[in-house]
Amino acid sequence: MSDQYRVTFVGFDADTDGQNAIERLAMKLGVPKQKVEAFTQGKFLFGISDKSKCLKQAKLLAIYGLQSKIQEVPSSSHTANNNAANERVFEALDYITSSLIRIEEKLEELEQRIDGQQKTDDDKEEEQWQSDDLFDELDLDSDPKPKSKKLLYTLLSILFVLLIVLGFSLAFPEMVQF
């Protein structure tokens, strides 16, 4: 891959009227005057191209009294790094999503087990109606205590907090350093 360059504005020649030069260049290039004015304020007039084309563009600007310089555009390694970072973020999000799906499936299984146990307990109580008289004399709590989901909700909230921290650290790695 060849190096890429871009032409940037430096200033006007000493004997050049800025407005006149802008108008003449806009007319020559067939672009609006505002675009050439934006070029003199730091925007780009020409796209990224190879060095020989940028030299021709700089010569054209010099004919109309605009001083310019050619800057090398960084290679695509920066873009490749961004793509790699984005890929890691997507992989992490995919892992998080699959983990949440597995947790949801486990919760559904536990709910089904709890519902099944309660139904079988009700069936057993109906079958043992004759022996209930013996237990009525004893002070036993026959109702099972409802299981608290506090631990489950605590673990889920910790998981979400960790997911948020992971997402933040992947989105802004320069701000979070472990």
Side-chain angles (χ1 to χ4, degrees), residues 15-56:
D15 58 343
T16 303
D17 177 30
Q19 278 304 102
N20 189 20
I22 289 173
E23 290 174 2
R24 289 188 351 209
L25 181 62
M27 189 182 315
K28 170 68 178 173
L29 295 176
V31 296
K33 180 181 165 186
Q34 292 82 7
K35 189 167 183 174
V36 178
E37 286 176 349
F39 173 69
T40 61
Q41 296 170 357
K43 303 280 183 186
F44 297 109
L45 183 62
F46 305 106
I48 298 172
S49 59
D50 60 332
K51 192 170 187 175
S52 63
K53 188 170 183 178
C54 285
L55 288 172
K56 290 177 185 177

Side-chain angles (χ1 to χ4, degrees), residues 19-104:
Q19 278 304 102
N20 189 20
I22 289 173
E23 290 174 2
R24 289 188 351 209
L25 181 62
M27 189 182 315
K28 170 68 178 173
L29 295 176
V31 296
K33 180 181 165 186
Q34 292 82 7
K35 189 167 183 174
V36 178
E37 286 176 349
F39 173 69
T40 61
Q41 296 170 357
K43 303 280 183 186
F44 297 109
L45 183 62
F46 305 106
I48 298 172
S49 59
D50 60 332
K51 192 170 187 175
S52 63
K53 188 170 183 178
C54 285
L55 288 172
K56 290 177 185 177
Q57 293 167 351
K59 286 179 185 177
L60 175 69
L61 292 173
I63 291 171
Y64 290 97
L66 284 87
Q67 297 174 355
S68 61
K69 66 179 180 178
I70 299 174
Q71 289 182 331
E72 184 175 358
V73 176
S75 65
S76 63
S77 65
H78 182 65
T79 306
N81 289 341
N82 283 343
N83 289 341
N86 289 340
E87 187 66 30
R88 286 193 310 262
V89 169
F90 286 127
E91 288 174 1
L93 290 175
D94 185 40
Y95 177 76
I96 290 167
T97 304
S98 61
S99 298
L100 289 174
I101 291 171
R102 286 193 302 268
I103 289 171
E104 184 179 358

Side-chain angles (χ1 to χ4, degrees), residues 13 22 55 82 113 116 122 126 137-138 140 154 158-159:
D13 289 339
I22 289 173
L55 288 172
N82 283 343
R113 285 184 191 171
D122 291 343
E126 290 176 8
E137 295 174 6
L138 299 174
L140 296 175
T154 304
I158 290 172
L159 177 67

Side-chain angles (χ1 to χ4, degrees), residues 110-144:
L110 289 174
E111 287 176 0
Q112 289 175 357
R113 285 184 191 171
I114 290 171
D115 290 341
Q117 286 178 351
Q118 288 175 351
K119 288 180 182 176
T120 56
D121 288 343
D122 291 343
D123 292 342
K124 286 181 184 177
E125 286 179 14
E126 290 176 8
E127 292 175 4
Q128 298 177 355
W129 62 274
Q130 294 173 347
S131 62
D132 285 344
D133 295 335
L134 297 175
F135 290 108
D136 286 342
E137 295 174 6
L138 299 174
D139 292 333
L140 296 175
D141 293 330
S142 62
D143 296 333

